[in-house]
Amino acid sequence: MRLGVNVPNFGPGTDPGILRRWAQTAEGLGYDLLMVSDHVVITPDVARKYPAPFYEPFTTLAWLAGCTGHIALGTTVLIVPYRHPLLVARMAANLNDLSGGRLVLGVGAGWARQEFEALGVAHERRGRLTDEHLAAIRAAWADERDYRAGDIPIWVGGNSDAALRRAARFGEAWHPLRNTMSYLRETWPRLKDLAAEHGRPTPDLAPRILLRITTSPVTGPDRLAGEGTIDQVADDLEQLRLLGAESVLLDPFSGDPGETLHPEAAWEMIAAVAARRTAR
């Protein structure tokens, strides 16, 4: 099972040097994948959670591709309706080619209504637009003479029924975001059924889970996967492996933008997981 790290590409503490240190730290610890988020316009609804500076994901990943040697690079998640699908197809294919085939394209439909309005995209049509754009991206990549796309896996993010149907139709993997273990166990069989309905193989399971290591155990039915003592986190990862997860992305951002001013705490947590992984 591959392990990855979600790197904050936003917030008051983020700059090119910190992004480089994040990437090189993750690669140096033996992680297989690093991913970054996507917003284009930092409207008030976005800024409350992810304040400026916000580094655009394709630009950021191109920078990090040159700062690293082999770690895979991806988006968690690219908001598909924000860009023309042929532009996404081109940028993704070029980045994959220039990085030596390291790109993972995580995609989603988005949520920030004010950002949609600023971009002139209909918020209420975001699900339909996402499906239409994904079909167009697939079609563009099929023309290898023009796009040289290689084999770019699409991970479909989201926890809704629509996201599950989208993963069954378009995804090499389903990329649910920050869930409980019980949700993942209960929902995974539904995706298998949906894929069978579309005559497609079941996508891989590639969840993004919270990473919040505590000194005391976290209990209760609302405990998210990846939350608790290092033993609890290690057990969650083992349970995900047994469930069939091919990749797991650790997300050490707990929601306070001020965390970006002190990334050392997050680096200590990902180092603790890496050490436990090596010990096994």
Side-chain angles (χ1 to χ4, degrees):
M1 185 177 74
R2 299 195 308 169
L3 280 185
V5 177
N6 186 36
V7 173
N9 53 318
F10 54 83
T14 300
D15 60 30
I18 289 295
L19 288 168
R20 181 176 59 242
R21 289 184 64 189
W22 263 105
Q24 293 176 343
T25 297
E27 186 170 59
L29 288 169
Y31 281 89
D32 306 292
L33 170 68
L34 67 87
M35 303 186 92
V36 297
S37 304
D38 180 31
H39 282 287
V40 176
V41 187
I42 311 307
T43 47
D45 49 355
V46 174
R48 283 191 290 270
K49 295 183 176 183
Y50 313 111
F54 201 113
Y55 287 82
E56 193 278 330
F58 282 115
T59 311
T60 302
L61 293 175
W63 157 247
L64 296 180
C67 299
T68 55
H70 60 267
I71 194 167
L73 311 162
T75 52
T76 177
V77 291
L78 190 82
I79 303 172
V80 176
Y82 284 176
R83 301 167 180 86
H84 194 286
L86 296 183
L87 176 62
V88 173
R90 173 72 65 194
M91 290 192 296
N94 288 173
L95 178 54
N96 190 60
D97 197 20
L98 292 168
S99 67
R102 289 194 273 160
L103 182 64
V104 174
L105 189 66
V107 298
W111 58 270
R113 181 178 292 274
Q114 291 172 333
E115 188 175 19
F116 274 88
E117 291 171 353
L119 290 166
V121 180
H123 181 267
E124 64 276 7
R125 295 191 65 238
R126 65 192 186 280
R128 180 175 295 180
L129 288 170
T130 298
D131 292 345
E132 292 173 357
H133 286 200
L134 287 175
I137 291 166
R138 288 281 194 201
W141 285 348
D143 188 351
E144 281 293 321
R145 296 168 301 172
D146 191 27
Y147 280 86
R148 292 176 54 84
D151 185 17
I152 303 173
I154 291 178
W155 290 9
V156 176
N159 306 323
S160 66
D161 281 347
L164 286 170
R165 291 192 295 271
R166 187 171 298 120
R169 291 179 59 196
F170 297 107
E172 276 76 37
W174 175 45
H175 186 48
L177 311 178
R178 292 189 173 217
N179 301 110
T180 63
M181 286 299 304
S182 59
Y183 168 84
L184 293 169
R185 290 192 191 96
E186 292 164 4
T187 308
W188 181 232
R190 172 160 168 71
L191 182 60
K192 295 180 180 180
D193 293 340
L194 287 169
E197 289 177 15
H198 288 284
R200 296 194 70 242
T202 302
D204 293 334
L205 175 62
R208 186 176 101 196
I209 68 172
L210 175 67
L211 178 61
R212 188 174 77 88
I213 297 177
T214 61
T215 55
S216 301
V218 176
T219 59
D222 295 330
R223 183 184 78 87
L224 296 175
E227 183 179 27
T229 64
I230 186 63
D231 288 336
Q232 286 181 295
V233 174
D235 184 64
D236 287 341
L237 291 173
E238 176 63 12
Q239 293 303 312
L240 288 168
R241 185 188 69 81
L242 295 173
L243 191 60
E246 296 289 336
S247 302
V248 175
L249 186 70
L250 303 176
D251 186 355
F253 179 66
S254 294
D256 178 4
E259 295 172 33
T260 62
L261 294 165
H262 308 286
E264 295 82 6
W267 295 341
E268 289 177 4
M269 289 192 295
I270 65 173
V273 174
R276 177 61 68 94
R277 184 189 193 190
T278 302
R280 290 194 172 192

